[in-house]
Amino acid sequence: MKFTQLLYKQHIGKAKRYVWQHQRERKIVVSKAEEILKSMNFLVQDATEFISRKPKTEFVSSQSALHNNKMIENSIALKESTLDVNSKNYLVFEDYNVLQEGVPQALLLTKTVKLNDKLPEKIQKLITDIPKNINNLSKRSVYTSMIYDAQQVKLPKLKDPDRPAWVFPRMYGITSTRKMQNLSKKFLQLCESLCGLNDAQYKSVIHDGLLSACIGKEDNFLKFSLKIDIMMTSSIPLVPIADVNIDNNFDIPDLYPLHYSIGLSKLDIGNSKLLYPITMDSPLMNVHTIFINHNPEEVKNLTELPVTEDQIHARSMIKSFGAAASCAQQKFGLSVKELPEPIVIQCIQSDGQNFHFSVYQLNTLDIDGKEGIKNFWWSEPSIKLYEEALYKNGQPCLEGYNTDVFKRYLAFYKNK
Amino acid sequence: MSAMSLIGCAFARQIVEVCSKAASVSVQLQPKRSQWNLVKKPKPGEKGKSYRRIVHFQDNYTVEPLNVTNLAGRDPVTGRVVAKGIGGGIKHKYHWIQWIRDGPIDLNVPPKEDKVLAVFKDGCRTSFVALVGGDNELRYILATENMKVGDIIRTHRGIPVNHVRAFEGDAYPLGALPKGTIVNCIEKYPGKGGALIHAAGTCGMIMKSDGDRVIVKMPSKKEFSLHQTCMATVGRLSNVLHGSTPIGSAQKNRELGNRPRSGLWQRKSGKHGRKLKAPTPVRKIGVGESNAPKTEILLLNHRPLNTVKA
């Protein structure tokens, strides 16, 4: 109701309130008292801060002690690494990280040269045609692990970038991790049966092993803390593929204006233990092949931009390097730089459909600069195992099956 | 026997709990719905707040996309609707732009070089965003019109005697750039980060210099006089077609987070032509602003006078 003289006469209460509501905010010009007092060297404190001050409590130390005694599964802690916290920067590459610049950055980071866009000749010779009955067996493994598996869980949400508001019906099925692990186990078993007891008795398989290696590079310390989904170890180490002092034309790439550590996160110095899944005195401690899973839901860029194929390949390389480095530190001691004998490691990375095969030869752990002995890496482009593997009209359907994948599995298994 | 006594004990406790609640008396009181309370609401647009979303910033700069809370036009303090016509839409993560372009000041040092690593569309703003990296740092900047992956952009804070030859995406102080240069993302106060000209396809132009100040024409045709050490990025901002692209459909407008309009507003016919106004005088930014006396608002809160009982 409009506030008129008449209303005022009738309702003095409303009038008071009206005045109050318009006058309750008072603008006050701040005086220069604080400045003047400060110029006379008086200590000026904010009154509200002074009141809300709390006495300090001393629970912090006991909390952090609890945190340190966390159990570690699937791995054996070597020793508490003696990281000198103040002198250097600590950078960490976690399991779900990818390198911003992909392969060139990985090569620079680990002082590695990529020798060829092919696997080494020794392994290429082992890739042979396989008879039809074995081909059928491998195809059956694909059916059982990709289609017949009984897992039914919620799959990741689908999004169409052109129609971002559209909500797809939620799909249930087999996760890519499950597919990859199923297939790797089945293929390994098939390889074991094909090669016989003579090969199999020297080999052992570890699931979900945790690795952690810490290596100094120039002004930084790099920590690789990785999970290896399946790790095949053997009592006989793989024979070095190329000569350490080989004179090659391949150069380590230059990333200017970027630094080799771009995109790596700073280490939280809470848990800095060095881990390796096998004890040193085990006869089966040499790494033979690592099978790693690329789960697109977990492995992401820091910026959440789509992960490129180059970055996935770089992840293979970093994982191989991490595994080889921690194996070398086990074998030759923590302070080893130039290895007495190179360590060779084979790596298969997969998301259930795409497979990336690579071989890494670790020659040195002295990764400063670009000169001197370098590490070697052989890698192939990714290959697809199949085009489609799903139920169509209620019938299992596998389209575009590629036999190359199993051939390479077998070659990697046979390699000594 | 013992079991019965246990059950009896448990029931008795439950009954006691139901009858006399553990909470204090003040919590149990229901707020009166017939009472009107005085609530002062802010106005949209003040201090650049649109009441569209809150971004949960971290302590240090990061390229990690940040989570947001959509406000739907509500003031987060009072919870009241402040801005009409906002609400719903697709939720986007926020890409934190590094507004400060830092580089060397010493003229003998070559400019700092950065590489453009990605250019992409951001849901929270109109122009495209570029991910750039230099040394061991990653950051986002606003992408200019022709910026593409692999470009090298330069930054220098020094003002040489002769003007620099600047290319698109480079950042220099206004004093170092020649007359007629097209610029965007200009700092209002030196060192505080780019504050002017952020919208897609917009650009300003350096008109003339005036002592230690430089006059820049804004996209609104107004002229601002800025200090010559204010940094500016060269070029026109990306997504030029944004301004001339119609939203297209009512549904698209909802996806953008806008609610339907009332339909009452009609555009004027413009039959009698445009009103001609004299251009506004050049506004000097950062001059005479600090001389105004500081004021503080004190609130007198007397509850009975801020409420109306029915």
Side-chain angles (χ1 to χ4, degrees), chain A residues 20 26 28 30 256-257 259, chain B residues 113 135 294 296 298 305-306:
Chain A
W20 171 263
R26 307 316 301 255
I28 290 169
V30 178
Y256 182 83
H259 191 246
Chain B
E113 292 190 333
D135 204 17
K294 280 182 188 170
E296 204 172 276
L298 289 187
L305 289 169
N306 285 338

Side-chain angles (χ1 to χ4, degrees), chain B residues 155-310:
Chain B
T155 313
H156 203 290
R157 296 185 79 100
I159 303 174
V161 182
N162 297 325
H163 292 308
V164 294
R165 188 169 173 223
F167 296 94
E168 202 182 296
D170 298 358
Y172 290 102
L174 284 172
L177 296 168
K179 202 175 84 178
T181 312
I182 283 174
V183 285
N184 68 72
C185 211
I186 309 167
E187 281 181 349
K188 255 173 122 175
Y189 308 100
K192 288 283 160 68
L196 302 165
I197 314 181
H198 288 168
T202 55
C203 60
M205 192 194 269
I206 296 179
M207 304 304 286
K208 58 186 173 186
S209 60
D210 173 21
D212 66 343
R213 302 188 73 80
V214 176
I215 293 168
V216 184
K217 194 171 156 193
M218 294 291 123
S220 63
K221 310 284 187 277
K222 281 184 185 171
E223 289 184 351
F224 285 4
S225 164
L226 300 150
H227 197 260
Q228 62 173 358
T229 52
C230 290
M231 295 290 283
T233 311
V234 178
R236 187 183 179 188
L237 282 171
S238 51
N239 200 4
V240 177
L241 292 177
H242 171 80
S244 57
T245 313
I247 289 173
S249 68
Q251 189 52 40
K252 183 71 189 169
N253 202 16
R254 295 306 299 266
E255 284 173 15
L256 294 172
N258 304 321
R259 300 194 55 222
R261 300 195 185 143
S262 65
L264 294 174
W265 185 80
Q266 299 285 332
R267 183 171 288 283
K268 284 172 240 167
S269 64
K271 187 185 170 190
H272 304 292
R274 189 167 69 99
K275 270 181 196 161
L276 286 175
K277 286 180 189 168
T280 48
V282 175
R283 197 176 129 197
K284 280 193 169 183
I285 289 176
V287 174
E289 286 175 5
S290 60
N291 295 345
K294 280 182 188 170
T295 55
E296 204 172 276
I297 292 173
L298 289 187
L299 272 178
L300 303 167
N301 266 325
H302 185 53
R303 193 174 166 78
L305 289 169
N306 285 338
T307 55
V308 175
K309 282 169 193 163

Side-chain angles (χ1 to χ4, degrees), chain A residues 132-292:
Chain A
K132 203 180 173 188
N133 60 337
I134 294 166
N135 199 11
N136 285 342
L137 280 175
S138 69
K139 208 169 174 179
R140 209 160 78 184
S141 319
V142 177
Y143 266 104
T144 46
S145 46
M146 304 288 166
I147 304 171
Y148 298 146
D149 193 286
Q151 194 189 34
Q152 286 291 315
V153 290
K154 268 185 187 170
L155 294 181
K157 280 179 187 167
L158 298 172
K159 271 286 165 206
D160 183 359
D162 297 332
R163 298 180 301 163
W166 179 257
V167 180
F168 284 92
R170 199 66 197 260
M171 295 290 284
Y172 285 77
I174 313 163
T175 58
S176 69
T177 311
R178 173 91 171 184
K179 282 181 184 171
M180 175 263 162
Q181 286 182 349
N182 274 346
L183 192 83
S184 299
K185 284 174 199 168
K186 295 236 157 64
F187 273 5
L188 262 186
Q189 194 189 11
L190 198 56
C191 292
E192 260 173 31
S193 332
L194 287 174
C195 293
L197 192 64
N198 281 343
D199 271 3
Q201 64 181 342
Y202 299 113
K203 288 184 179 124
S204 139
V205 167
I206 298 162
H207 294 283
D208 294 340
L210 293 180
L211 276 179
S212 169
C214 203
I215 293 144
K217 180 175 171 72
E218 288 157 29
D219 294 341
N220 298 302
F221 253 117
L222 306 172
K223 191 188 171 197
F224 301 97
S225 59
L226 311 165
K227 189 180 123 187
I228 308 291
D229 290 74
I230 300 173
M231 184 169 171
M232 190 160 69
T233 59
S234 87
S235 54
I236 313 155
L238 286 172
V239 182
I241 296 166
D243 184 26
V244 175
N245 298 314
I246 188 176
D247 190 32
N248 55 58
N249 303 323
F250 300 99
D251 256 347
I252 295 177
D254 186 23
L255 285 182
Y256 182 83
L258 305 177
H259 191 246
Y260 63 79
S261 69
I262 191 146
L264 288 179
S265 47
K266 291 259 165 29
L267 177 62
D268 165 33
I269 306 161
N271 44 4
S272 47
K273 282 177 178 163
L274 301 180
L275 306 173
Y276 191 66
I278 323 164
T279 50
M280 236 170 91
D281 29 296
S282 161
L284 293 158
M285 66 101 50
N286 301 300
V287 193
H288 186 277
T289 311
I290 56 173
F291 300 80
I292 47 181

